[in-house]
């Protein structure tokens, strides 16, 4: 199946393979868009990214990227309301690909009410309308991507460019490096590259029929989460993510006597700049705990800057999740249960309000 | 098994049933200890809790409790290093039950180097020695608890009392209420109460032999995580936690076509103060997605204050995890793989340093 490009393309009715293939170029395009924004002067004491699902994950990725360099904390809100501390010294990025995510619109109203330094990121919808109406700086991103989770470049890059624009951190050099590194990897992962030399296709074969658990560490915690979400949404697999060293304090003993460990597969995201203690910890956890898993595989970060290292691991996950969908004979794009749920919620609310 | 108290006690060689039974009284005792500390004057711009596993979870619980009331952000570090933003306006709680957790000791050194406003919480070990040596405020907690995860009252309460002592939030009234509410619940959950009227025993029977997924929301996100960690460590079960509404944006569609959904059970932590939108969302997710799970059960928060509501859900999890261990014929206390890993790490490091 995975070496039959025509069959995969027939399943892939929204052409996610093409969108994912264009990710390196999207990084560059998104940089141009974000640099074109008229960034206001800001002096925040803390940064918050509000967004859900495919939009919210970019906030988590930013948080990992920022941890060792920003002199203010970055928080991520995947919910209806901003925390109480948000005020006029908080820089709030409000992100919704469609512009119509109700949780995110609620956070936008919170940000307005509390006088936060707000930036909106969306491709259209209500968020764009409200940002324009309130004179809030707006990053307009392309509206032709098939699903929000395929818009990560456009949802993440404005946060990074924003960090540089407001003087919190340098990001542009890392964006350039990430483009170069990912362009190189892309050829290896693409559908035209046969399974033999294609790590994403190999990984898909390994994980097929298992319950994947993705472990990150350090820079790669949100990367593990991104992997998990892509496995949830593209091939519709139940999956889990966790991080070293915290997992060694609770998850690890369950690998001994859970009784169902061989249903699970393990993917470890490895940094290319690990210290010897981390290497030992991961190797020993493999030996002691993960030996009971169906299988364990690893993905190695590439590049020098934090951004390239993060995205070089998530990129393998993006492709792997598509190949897993094809192995299951599925079109990866539709997420019917999310649509069903949104509709049912609207109906209930309308019924209540009509009473 | 679960109505044979003698058999359970025979398995429970560290008497975790007694320690968990004493939790309401530990809340009161821990309050007295923390009020006896000579809290310095502080004016932090942000708060960080550094700790791992059973110690670190108290930071996550604090974070949920603080979200709607604190005017500064609370961050939790389950790793070796503090984020770059930590400085002399950061209040850092460094928590390790044993006082010898290497990740936490590393964070303590970070906090010293960066001139953070630091408070140490431990029952002994190196952390106590270093705090005394550096004149760092210290909360000394009892050293006779069998495992760190049974010391939650002593690890959480000093954070709450600290919030009140430094003027960030009121906590003492909520601590009193939590004591009252949990004392009431305790009788229902205790081993002497037969399965018929004991929700924790019933839950243990339901979850036995499944892969539990615990869902929280709002105040109860870290509570879901605490449940998961207790299931990992006491009955050694692989498990997952997640939160509404974020789960509806990625995890939900996997419940449709994962193909292995009936291996999983669902536990939903319900607040007793949910708005109608949240009620609709959870009910509809049950109907649309979780109908494919083996089973779904719910735990309802009790009390008025945020603390009682959080702890009334985790308390059911603490007992349920013990009963699950007994159903598996296990002593819940030993976590051999964690001990094996720590030993192996030390050996490797000694080998390296000896070379």
């Amino acid at each position: 199946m995975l070496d039959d490009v025509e069959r995969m393309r027939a399943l892939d009715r929204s052409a996610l393979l093409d969108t994912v293939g264009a990710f390196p170029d999207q990084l560059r395009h998104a940089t141009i868009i974000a640099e074109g924004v008229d960034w206001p002067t800001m002096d925040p004491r803390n940064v918050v990214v509000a967004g859900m699902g495919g939009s919210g994950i970019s906030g988590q990725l930013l948080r990992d990227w920022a941890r060792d360099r920003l002199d203010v904390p970055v928080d991520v809100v995947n919910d209806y309301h901003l925390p109480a501390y948000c005020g006029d010294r908080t820089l709030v990025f409000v992100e919704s690909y469609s512009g119509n995510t109700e949780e995110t619109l609620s956070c936008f109203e919170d940000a307005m009410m509390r006088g936060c330094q707000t930036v909106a990121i969306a491709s259209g919808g209500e968020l764009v309308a409200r940002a324009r109406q309130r004179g809030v700086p707006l990053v307009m991103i392309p509206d032709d991507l098939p699903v929000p989770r395929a818009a990560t470049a456009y949802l993440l890059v404005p946060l990074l460019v924003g960090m540089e624009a407001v003087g919190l951190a340098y990001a542009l050099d890392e964006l350039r490096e990430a483009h170069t590194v990912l362009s190189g990897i892309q050829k290896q992962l693409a559908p035209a590259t046969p399974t033999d030399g294609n790590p994403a296709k190999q990984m898909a074969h390994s994980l097929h029929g298992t319950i994947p658990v993705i472990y990150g560490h350090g820079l790669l915690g949100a990367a593990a989460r991104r992997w998990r979400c892509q496995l949830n949404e593209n091939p519709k697999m139940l999956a889990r993510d966790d991080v070293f060293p915290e997992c060694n304090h609770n998850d690890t003993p369950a690998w001994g006597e859970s009784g169902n460990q061989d249903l699970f597969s393990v993917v470890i995201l490895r940094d290319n700049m690990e210290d010897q203690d981390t290497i030992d910890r991961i190797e020993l956890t493999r030996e002691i705990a993960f030996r009971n898993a169906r299988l364990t595989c690893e993905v190695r970060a590439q590049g020098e800057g934090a951004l390239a290292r993060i995205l070089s691991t998530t990129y393998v996950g993006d492709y792997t999740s598509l190949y897993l969908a094809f192995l299951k004979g599925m079109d990866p794009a539709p997420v019917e249960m999310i649509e069903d749920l949104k509709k049912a919620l609207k109906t209930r609310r309308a019924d209540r309000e009509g009473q």
Side-chain angles (χ1 to χ4, degrees), chain A:
Chain A
M1 163 61 96
L2 298 187
D3 288 332
D4 185 341
V5 177
E6 287 318 301
R7 255 177 92 193
M8 291 195 287
R9 291 204 180 277
L11 284 169
D12 185 25
R13 284 188 289 272
S14 302
L16 280 180
L17 277 172
D18 293 335
T19 313
V20 168
F23 185 74
D25 292 333
Q26 291 164 0
L27 287 176
R28 186 174 272 180
H29 184 211
T31 306
I32 295 168
I33 293 174
E35 287 189 299
V37 170
D38 190 13
W39 293 91
T41 307
M42 294 176 175
D43 183 21
R45 279 202 185 150
N46 38 64
V47 175
V48 170
V49 182
M52 307 300 295
S55 303
I57 191 68
S58 60
Q60 311 272 1
L61 294 168
L62 177 75
R63 199 164 178 265
D64 281 352
W65 180 85
R67 190 174 299 119
D68 287 340
R69 65 181 94 194
L70 243 63
D71 62 3
V72 298
V74 176
D75 204 350
V76 182
V77 176
N78 307 128
D79 212 329
Y80 284 87
H81 292 289
L82 298 180
Y85 70 81
C86 292
D88 58 4
R89 297 294 296 274
T90 306
L91 165 55
V92 180
F93 291 95
V94 181
E95 295 210 275
S96 162
Y97 181 68
S98 68
N100 295 320
T101 313
E102 62 174 52
E103 295 93 325
T104 313
L105 289 170
S106 162
C107 284
F108 178 82
E109 293 307 319
D110 269 13
M112 293 297 98
M113 215 153 51
R114 295 153 179 270
C116 300
Q117 302 171 24
T118 309
V119 176
I121 304 170
S123 72
E126 185 65 22
L127 184 55
V128 166
R130 292 193 199 176
R132 285 191 173 136
Q133 198 189 342
R134 315 289 274 268
V136 164
L138 170 67
V139 186
M140 270 291 274
I141 58 180
D143 64 0
D144 58 354
L145 293 153
V147 290
R149 61 189 180 278
T152 305
Y154 295 102
L155 292 159
L156 173 62
V157 170
L159 305 179
L160 295 164
V161 172
M163 291 297 104
E164 178 145 343
V166 307
L168 285 171
Y170 294 104
L172 293 174
D173 285 348
E174 288 203 27
L175 275 162
R176 273 185 287 273
E177 190 213 359
H179 174 264
T180 309
V181 169
L182 293 201
S183 299
I185 299 175
Q186 196 273 332
K187 291 171 191 70
Q188 259 206 311
L189 305 176
T193 305
T195 305
D196 255 8
N198 189 321
K201 289 183 179 178
Q202 290 166 16
M203 197 87 75
H205 279 293
S206 299
L207 305 185
H208 186 44
T210 71
I211 305 165
V213 190
I214 322 297
Y215 292 87
H217 65 94
L219 262 186
L220 306 176
R225 184 183 164 125
R226 164 70 173 183
W227 261 80
R228 191 264 293 170
C229 293
Q230 291 288 75
L231 294 175
N232 289 157
E233 291 197 77
N234 288 328
K236 281 80 185 168
M237 290 171 79
L238 290 164
R240 220 195 130 230
D241 62 278
D242 207 334
V243 287
F244 286 97
E246 174 63 12
C247 67
N248 288 144
H249 294 265
N250 36 60
D251 172 67
T252 292
W255 286 95
E257 301 166 85
S258 194
N260 51 12
Q261 305 96 317
D262 65 337
L263 300 171
F264 293 84
S265 58
V266 170
V267 179
I268 309 176
L269 306 186
R270 302 294 303 259
D271 201 352
N272 54 350
M273 301 192 185
E274 292 168 354
D275 59 28
Q276 192 57 45
D277 278 344
T278 302
I279 295 170
D280 286 351
R281 179 180 288 281
I282 294 175
E283 281 180 10
L284 290 169
T285 306
R286 285 191 65 152
E287 279 174 32
I288 292 170
F290 299 156
R291 69 184 159 82
N292 296 322
R294 179 89 58 90
L295 59 99
T296 301
C297 43
E298 299 192 343
V299 177
R300 179 71 60 175
Q302 297 187 37
E304 284 194 26
L307 186 65
R309 281 147 63 204
I310 293 170
L311 295 180
S312 58
T313 64
T314 59
Y315 203 30
V316 180
D318 291 351
Y319 268 112
T320 301
S321 69
L322 295 182
Y323 293 133
L324 274 159
F326 302 138
L327 284 179
K328 290 179 77 173
M330 277 181 185
D331 179 0
V335 282
E336 280 153 28
M337 278 201 174
I338 296 183
E339 301 311 322
D340 290 351
L341 181 70
K342 281 187 193 164
K343 263 181 237 155
L345 276 168
K346 275 200 183 135
T347 308
R348 279 228 188 167
R349 205 172 295 162
D351 287 354
R352 275 210 315 278
E353 282 159 8
Q355 269 167 9

